[in-house]
Amino acid sequence: MRKILIGLLFIFVFPIRVFAEGEFKVGLDVTYKYNREGVPTVEQKITLTNKTAYQYASKYEMEISGDNPTNIKAWDSAGPLKVDISDKITAYFNNFVAGIDKSYQFHLSYLGKPALHNGQVWEVNFPKSNDDYRLSVIIPKNFGRLAFSSPSPESNNGEVIVFNNAKSGVVAAFGDFQTYKFDLSYTLQGPGTIALPADTGYQRVFYDSLTPAPANVKIDEDGNWLAYYNQELNQNLVIKAQGTANVLSEPALLVPATDLAVYLQPTRYWPSDNQEFIRLAQRYKTPKEIYDFVVSSLSYGFNNVRKGGLLALENPNNSLCQEFTDLFITMNRAANIPAREINGFAYTTDNRLRPLFLAGTDILHAWPQYWDEKRQTWISVDPTWEKTTGGIDYFSKLDFNHFTFVTHGTKDDTPLSAGFYKLPNDTSRNINVDIGVYRDYSTKPLKTRLDIPRQIWAPLGAKAILHIDNPNGFAVYNTTYDVLSQNGNIETLPPFSKITVMINIKPVWKLNFSDQTIVVTVSGISKTYNIYPVNYLVWHGSIAVFSAFVLLTVGVVASRAWSVHLQRQT
């Protein structure tokens, strides 16, 4: 019988590859148990099954690469195993693995590489293998919920997460959201608008400052926040926006959907009415089928010109995130699935695996969304990163690393994203985004004012103007108002926005010589305004003049009638 050792290569920085000689079948069951500081105790339960009758195994070797594991232990059912540690780890078996189909099971444990703690999120990455292996991950409560994983686990009870086949490796992120701090610069030439990062289904945005203050902030059809500036025609204005954004990995229904028909229309970069896309729509009918087609068809590479969906399909090489996005949107629209584009910032620690594109000197990313009719919300996916990471699933759920600057749906290239508001030859960096610290923002009360006309012509009524201003650096939702039994709900008030509501003052015929009270209630807070008799001065004066005219007319008529009467008497 020939003696053989079992050699396995473990890389103790990610990724890990595991392999064994074909004479033995290796069964691997790995458990990572993390403490509150993110340090895992790794236990490998290894089962070796001899597939030959003429060989036996006496020891187990692991080559060490990267960060060295610590506190290494090995044992089997008979007790501890002798372990030698040098540039590799060697565990000597208490019993030989001899005889065909004979199995030997032993355990190896060590302290592994800590989880990466970025802001509000814990991130972990587990090894690839040449063989199937079962992975169990035990997390402490301070990690939070499993927000993203590729692949999806077979089971998850909130504490123990199990992947039955982890051969391709596993990446996972834990937490409720990630906080980013941002510092953005915009330059306007003359009056105009800029697109500010806005709330979406995946993020809430909080502004610490927006200087100078805009004249107003309004919402466009795609949900973008547009800040309006009214400076002189030839004046250059530099605008600074600073704040934080809390980014989610799955959508929350914060922003209602608009007319979805506009997200099916063909455009210059999304020619969904092209016959080639109509033909493809007969075969690729779901977002997942289209996503897989895009990932498999395009090759990532650099180019200087946006191709659009059709040229990306015809020339799949050297495609950036913009081409992956354009092709996905075009094919979905051709298949009668609403789709749109997101431009923004994607946080990455590895530009090779998760690349971005340059907007001058600023780094941006593009990814698409499709409308999920069943869930009634927009779903973000990232075919570019699935391609460049070699298969990490960015369709089932997005990670915490995608921060939206602007949404393109009704139009395929406007409004411009932050990073594109520059003067010619401006090489300065206008986008700065990094992991931030979560904090609560106190809410200031809305500013309200009711403008009552100076003069009210009572029989015709009048219109008062209710002004509602949001002084907060974040959006306020579902603002209710009630004035003179006229009420309504304002779904979204963007930060620093101002709106007006017309209020009807009903016509009256009676004279008003006392104060009238109007109660204005906005979001449960009431203010009282008065209509004074002086507001009816013209009406009262008109009544007085009319009354005097009537009396004078009656007097004249009566006088003449009396005069005629007297003449007849004589």
Side-chain angles (χ1 to χ4, degrees), residues 79 99 186 188 233 267 297 331 381 423 482 569:
Y186 305 77
L188 279 179
L233 187 62
T267 69
S297 298
M331 291 183 65
V381 297
L423 296 176
D482 189 335
Q569 291 294 324

Side-chain angles (χ1 to χ4, degrees), residues 522-557:
V522 176
S523 293
I525 299 177
S526 298
K527 293 176 69 173
T528 300
Y529 295 85
N530 289 320
I531 300 178
Y532 299 102
V534 70
N535 294 106
Y536 291 102
L537 183 61
V538 173
W539 163 241
H540 291 166
S542 298
I543 291 294
V545 170
F546 178 76
S547 299
F549 175 77
V550 170
L551 290 174
L552 180 61
T553 301
V554 170
V556 170
V557 171

Side-chain angles (χ1 to χ4, degrees), residues 182-199:
F182 61 85
D183 186 341
L184 310 176
S185 295
Y186 305 77
T187 301
L188 279 179
Q189 294 177 280
T193 63
I194 62 172
L196 300 170
D199 287 357

Side-chain angles (χ1 to χ4, degrees), residues 118 178-183 243-245 345 347 403 429 431-437:
N118 268 333
Q178 180 62 286
T179 299
Y180 292 96
K181 60 181 180 181
F182 61 85
D183 186 341
T244 63
F345 181 88
Y347 183 82
F403 174 22
R429 186 175 179 183
I431 295 174
N432 291 283
V433 180
D434 207 346
I435 300 296
V437 177

